[in-house]
Amino acid sequence: MTEVLEARVAALEAKRFQCPKEITVDDSMRRAREHVEDLGFYSANWKWVPEPYYKWELERRAKLLGAASTQMLCKPLLLENKKVSDKPETEDPKTNPRFMLVVLQYEAELDVKKLATSIRKLRPVAERLDESQFDLRVADPSDNDRITGYEFNSVTPFGLKEQVPIILSSAIAPLG
């Protein structure tokens, strides 16, 4: 009886998520979708992409997703401030986080110096950290998996396992 119920629940969930038949809904999918719905983003459009998607040229990806241009394609990167890792007592979740998720366009290059300057400016001038307090690097895969709850190439800013600041590139907002 339990197996029958589990199969029915799985079938209903697959229908709700509009999964291809070979995909099984997992915890990460549920977490992302629940977070988006909790935020009231009911117009969100979920797209399933084939396995080789991340090997495709950006133009092909944009076409599959129905994006107006490749400028609409974004990626999140989990970054770690290695200077905070060395001195955990200096961490402040808002103005000097150890980890942060940065969302930027695929075609953009991350300017870590500019990002560090923006983070520094969150404090009043008298309390501002010195540039030497920042060494921003892409987080290790194990930290990425633990903090985001998502595997490589499937990270989203929605439904993270641990709270980290999310920084949206200023170039993305006008595309809205």
Side-chain angles (χ1 to χ4, degrees), residues 47-76 104-107 152-154:
K47 297 273 187 169
W48 291 95
V49 297
E51 186 67 37
Y53 173 83
Y54 289 103
K55 295 177 184 169
W56 293 356
E57 295 292 323
L58 291 178
E59 291 79 14
R60 186 173 177 192
R61 293 186 206 179
K63 184 176 179 181
L64 175 78
L65 296 175
S69 77
T70 58
Q71 292 293 314
M72 304 291 280
L73 303 180
C74 301
K75 61 184 172 188
L104 68 156
Q105 294 160 299
Y106 266 103
E107 295 179 337
F152 179 74
N153 273 345
S154 67

Side-chain angles (χ1 to χ4, degrees), residues 51-109:
E51 186 67 37
Y53 173 83
Y54 289 103
K55 295 177 184 169
W56 293 356
E57 295 292 323
L58 291 178
E59 291 79 14
R60 186 173 177 192
R61 293 186 206 179
K63 184 176 179 181
L64 175 78
L65 296 175
S69 77
T70 58
Q71 292 293 314
M72 304 291 280
L73 303 180
C74 301
K75 61 184 172 188
L77 293 173
L78 185 69
L79 300 181
E80 178 180 9
N81 183 354
K82 295 289 188 177
K83 295 291 183 166
V84 174
S85 303
D86 295 340
K87 295 182 179 177
E89 68 276 3
T90 65
E91 182 174 15
D92 177 318
K94 292 184 180 175
T95 64
N96 192 26
R98 177 176 173 192
F99 292 100
M100 65 211 73
L101 192 74
V102 178
V103 182
L104 68 156
Q105 294 160 299
Y106 266 103
E107 295 179 337
E109 286 189 37

Side-chain angles (χ1 to χ4, degrees), residues 23-168:
I23 302 290
T24 302
V25 175
D26 65 15
D27 182 55
S28 66
M29 294 177 205
R30 288 183 201 100
R31 212 174 47 250
R33 187 163 193 137
E34 286 171 12
H35 188 201
V36 167
E37 290 173 356
D38 287 347
L39 292 170
F41 296 161
Y42 298 109
S43 64
N45 190 357
W46 300 87
K47 297 273 187 169
W48 291 95
V49 297
E51 186 67 37
Y53 173 83
Y54 289 103
K55 295 177 184 169
W56 293 356
E57 295 292 323
L58 291 178
E59 291 79 14
R60 186 173 177 192
R61 293 186 206 179
K63 184 176 179 181
L64 175 78
L65 296 175
S69 77
T70 58
Q71 292 293 314
M72 304 291 280
L73 303 180
C74 301
K75 61 184 172 188
L77 293 173
L78 185 69
L79 300 181
E80 178 180 9
N81 183 354
K82 295 289 188 177
K83 295 291 183 166
V84 174
S85 303
D86 295 340
K87 295 182 179 177
E89 68 276 3
T90 65
E91 182 174 15
D92 177 318
K94 292 184 180 175
T95 64
N96 192 26
R98 177 176 173 192
F99 292 100
M100 65 211 73
L101 192 74
V102 178
V103 182
L104 68 156
Q105 294 160 299
Y106 266 103
E107 295 179 337
E109 286 189 37
L110 178 62
D111 184 338
V112 292
K113 187 171 177 113
K114 188 175 179 181
L115 177 58
T117 298
S118 296
I119 295 169
R120 289 178 60 235
K121 288 181 178 180
L122 294 173
R123 290 186 180 197
V125 174
E127 299 172 24
R128 207 161 278 170
L129 297 172
D130 186 71
E131 289 178 14
S132 66
Q133 297 295 105
F134 293 87
D135 180 17
L136 302 175
R137 307 281 177 107
V138 174
D140 292 334
S142 61
D143 287 324
N144 181 78
D145 294 352
R146 174 180 54 81
I147 292 168
T148 69
Y150 301 109
E151 297 175 1
F152 179 74
N153 273 345
S154 67
V155 175
T156 174
F158 302 104
L160 301 176
K161 283 211 163 187
E162 295 181 20
Q163 283 194 327
V164 295
I166 299 172
I167 301 169
L168 182 68

